[in-house]
Amino acid sequence: MRTLEWEDNKLKLIDQTKLPDELTYVYCETYQEVIVAIKDMIVRGAPAIGVSAAFGMALAELAGEDMDKVAIEMKSARPTAVNLMWAVDRIMESDNSALDEALKMFQEDIDTNMAIGKYGAEVIDEGDTVLTHCNAGALACVDYGTALGVFRAAHSQGKNIKVICDETRPRGQGASLSVWEMQQENIPVKLIPDVASGYLMSKGMINKVVIGADRVARDGIANKIGSFMVSLAAKRFDIPFYVAAPFSTFDKDISIFDTEIEERSADEVIHYGGARICPKGTEVINPAFDIVPKDLITGVITEKGIIDLNSIENFEDLF
Ligand code: MRU
């Protein structure tokens, strides 16, 4: 399954706002349409946002736009996933045409995820029940996925694993996207309310956690809101907590605590299943991302192997 593809000089995207009920596509013919698709979360997930932005830059170049201006607009589509800035900078710095570079990034994303899957499967044991949060699957990338790629790889090696997805309120990417992806692959999967993971861990019903990331820095990671609470519960019960992410998600320049956290619309919290769930006029706080400090992370599974942020002496040597 390709989350995004270059087809007839257009960017073809799975419309993730329609899943799991409808598998439909949106075609972007201009860079402005790509920006709208990223803002409206038709395409979402750090690597998928990055490669989509690269194709958006290609559309802009083919249309003869002012690329410096487009780069600024594109980077402001969403603030937290570092892949977006990485992809736009890479296009701007490349000697290739924007389209050639975007096509290269498209293939690299697939190869990278396969490598993450290979390294990640080494820490998944026969019989494991693994919790994941949000969607770090094929739908968050070009294909295969980071965290869900680890489960795909372990499953394809014949390991009997069970996956638990939490709902991931308020937008429900765990329920609507991760459960759907695992069902497509016939990997055993169950859905739990976000608030249930601590209880399941206390009962020995979860023995590993693997999540994705929107940013990896020297002192921790940023990922979907709720990731920090899951990491705290995992620490309480000595459950290994892994983060699967490519180097395109790494940020060597800042402390993770300086990450800009996207604040999304109050409507996402006020409404559930189309109905208002709180009194009219209720004020809302709706941060979309969380910070997990490195002491709560067992390892970061990358395409070059597994990195322990707590034991590397010089983070910059990784690049
Ligand atoms: O707001 P989203 O759906 O774009 O957030 C996505 C996540 O937080 C994912 O877990 C993360 O991007 C990792 S994707 C491989």
Side-chain angles (χ1 to χ4, degrees):
M1 175 183 65
R2 296 280 195 262
T3 298
L4 57 109
E5 252 171 321
W6 184 252
E7 204 176 276
D8 298 332
N9 277 348
K10 296 180 195 103
L11 176 62
K12 178 184 175 189
L13 299 168
I14 292 182
D15 184 348
Q16 301 195 32
T17 65
K18 300 282 190 321
L19 288 171
D21 294 326
E22 287 172 39
L23 180 57
T24 52
Y25 297 89
V26 165
Y27 292 85
C28 300
E29 297 185 37
T30 64
Y31 83 88
Q32 290 96 335
E33 287 172 358
V34 176
I35 292 177
V36 170
I38 293 172
K39 281 190 173 157
D40 291 352
M41 295 179 65
I42 287 165
V43 62
R44 32 67 49 205
I49 291 171
V51 180
S52 297
F55 282 117
M57 298 296 288
L59 286 167
E61 191 173 87
L62 291 169
E65 301 282 353
D66 173 346
M67 293 299 275
D68 290 321
K69 180 179 140 282
V70 175
I72 294 168
E73 272 181 67
M74 190 65 75
K75 281 185 180 184
S76 67
R78 287 189 76 188
T80 305
V82 75
N83 303 60
L84 174 58
M85 328 312 160
W86 166 86
V88 172
D89 287 341
R90 183 163 152 183
I91 294 285
M92 294 300 282
E93 285 158 19
S94 171
D95 293 332
N96 294 324
S97 71
L99 181 56
D100 282 349
E101 196 63 18
L103 289 166
K104 218 168 135 194
M105 290 156 82
F106 174 89
Q107 188 55 47
E108 276 174 23
D109 187 73
I110 300 168
D111 297 343
T112 294
N113 289 342
M114 301 290 287
I116 289 173
K118 181 180 80 106
Y119 287 115
E122 288 172 16
V123 299
I124 304 293
D125 297 313
E126 166 67 25
D128 271 352
T129 301
V130 193
L131 172 74
T132 193
H133 180 64
C134 194
N135 174 266
L139 290 165
C141 305
V142 173
D143 206 338
Y144 206 70
T146 54
L148 298 194
V150 170
F151 307 155
R152 281 191 166 90
H155 179 74
S156 71
Q157 290 170 2
K159 289 178 186 163
N160 289 303
I161 60 162
K162 294 191 183 82
V163 175
I164 293 188
C165 300
D166 61 23
E167 303 162 281
T168 321
R169 298 281 178 95
R171 290 189 68 98
Q173 294 96 323
S176 62
L177 307 179
S178 293
V179 169
W180 183 78
E181 275 196 43
M182 293 293 92
Q183 287 173 345
Q184 303 294 306
E185 303 273 334
N186 291 319
I187 298 175
V189 60
K190 284 187 179 157
L191 174 66
I192 61 167
D194 285 328
V195 286
S197 54
Y199 172 77
L200 264 66
M201 287 181 195
S202 78
K203 293 288 173 193
M205 293 165 74
I206 291 169
N207 62 308
K208 245 155 235 166
V209 180
V210 184
I211 65 166
D214 290 79
R215 187 176 299 248
V216 178
R218 58 179 180 268
D219 46 2
I221 66 108
N223 192 52
K224 182 55 54 192
I225 195 74
S227 300
F228 180 49
M229 292 199 309
V230 173
S231 70
L232 285 171
K235 187 74 169 179
R236 172 70 177 80
F237 296 106
D238 282 330
I239 293 170
F241 183 95
Y242 288 98
V243 175
F247 267 82
S248 53
T249 304
F250 278 54
D251 187 337
K252 64 175 164 28
D253 298 323
I254 66 163
S255 161
I256 201 66
F257 300 100
D258 294 331
T259 301
E260 184 183 345
I261 301 292
E262 179 179 13
E263 177 80 22
R264 291 194 66 89
S265 147
D267 282 343
E268 291 182 351
V269 182
I270 288 171
H271 295 98
Y272 180 63
R276 182 164 46 78
I277 56 163
C278 55
K280 275 187 185 160
T282 299
E283 289 185 26
V284 165
I285 304 171
N286 186 19
F289 294 96
D290 225 342
I291 302 296
V292 182
K294 68 177 179 180
D295 60 293
L296 299 175
I297 301 169
T298 309
V300 182
I301 306 164
T302 75
E303 66 271 37
K304 297 182 194 167
I306 300 180
I307 296 167
D308 178 0
L309 293 176
N310 301 291
S311 66
I312 44 174
E313 278 179 18
N314 195 351
F315 188 67
E316 282 171 17
D317 289 349
L318 293 173
F319 300 91

